[in-house]
Amino acid sequence: MEPVALPLGRPREERADAARNRAHLIEVARGMVAELGADKVTMDGLADRAGLGKGTVFRRFRTRAGIFHALLDEEETRFQREVMSGPPPLGPGAPAAARLVAFGRARLEFLVRHMVLARASIDPGQPVPAAESPSLFHVQMLLAEARPDDAQSGTLALQLVAALEGPILLYLQSHDDAPDLDAAVENLTTSWRVLVERVCG
């Protein structure tokens, strides 16, 4: 039998000065993106603007993409809070299929709002497994309610999440300068609703 690693006590909390530095760096990085655009934000530039050493920035983010990943992670946390405890149909209280439809629309709108951060957070040297998508657990949970037999393996949830986030992000990227981006999102939302209704029907 494989040995199981057990946690040794509670994980060490972030030091107060490290937490302050993180919050300061994220706030400065957010301001730089708004002022200069994501393509002009660098590790050195962030260190200079924040008044911190380059080593501090490197330890916090590791790579340039890590800066944007941290910014996107904060937005993702807010989004997940709405999904888990907001009003229905996105939040609890609606049938599973209706929540899936609402989730797809909200996720598309989220991707559009944060397209710049999503692009910049991708590290070309690192794979991004679909299984790490923050949406996977939620879609799996709703499918388990709507179609418990089909949801058991997790494959259906994985395929739905891949259809919602990966290819759609590329699709929106090719349309983000077009005046009909809203129409593109509306078309994608309609297609997502049809897909969910057929899967859950």
Side-chain angles (χ1 to χ4, degrees):
M1 190 168 86
E2 292 287 334
V4 178
L6 297 176
L8 301 177
R10 297 178 59 187
R12 188 169 56 185
E13 293 183 2
E14 190 175 34
R15 294 195 329 264
D17 59 336
R20 283 194 301 272
N21 283 344
R22 179 181 64 81
H24 178 56
L25 283 167
I26 287 175
E27 190 61 33
V28 172
R30 186 180 289 114
M32 290 178 72
V33 170
E35 178 187 341
L36 307 172
D39 58 329
K40 297 290 195 301
V41 177
T42 65
M43 300 280 272
D44 288 351
L46 177 57
D48 290 342
R49 181 76 69 97
L52 295 170
K54 295 177 185 177
T56 300
V57 176
F58 177 79
R59 283 191 299 274
R60 171 56 58 186
F61 300 120
R62 299 296 179 190
T63 65
R64 179 178 177 276
I67 298 171
F68 303 103
H69 189 275
L71 291 172
L72 189 61
D73 188 59
E74 289 217 332
E75 300 302 326
E76 184 69 57
T77 299
R78 293 188 186 98
F79 176 76
Q80 294 300 329
R81 194 177 299 125
E82 293 175 12
V83 168
M84 299 310 293
S85 59
L90 181 59
R99 291 194 69 192
L100 274 171
V101 171
F103 177 79
R105 172 178 286 278
R107 193 66 190 171
L108 285 166
E109 292 170 350
F110 176 89
L111 289 174
V112 170
R113 283 198 310 273
H114 304 296
M115 180 70 67
V116 171
L117 294 181
R119 281 190 205 149
S121 69
I122 296 172
D123 187 341
Q126 299 293 326
V128 184
E132 292 185 6
S133 164
S135 302
L136 184 58
F137 174 79
H138 186 64
V139 171
Q140 174 73 38
M141 179 188 71
L142 293 177
L143 278 177
E145 180 182 334
R147 294 189 66 108
D149 293 337
D150 296 325
Q152 283 183 6
S153 70
T155 306
L156 183 57
L158 190 62
Q159 288 177 315
L160 283 175
V161 168
L164 179 61
E165 298 200 352
I168 283 179
L169 188 59
L170 295 174
Y171 175 82
L172 291 174
Q173 180 174 335
S174 67
H175 287 73
D176 67 339
D177 293 326
D180 61 346
L181 181 60
D182 288 343
V185 171
E186 193 61 36
N187 288 338
L188 286 168
T189 300
T190 300
S191 298
W192 172 256
R193 177 178 55 77
V194 170
L195 178 60
V196 169
E197 287 175 352
R198 291 185 179 181
V199 166
C200 297

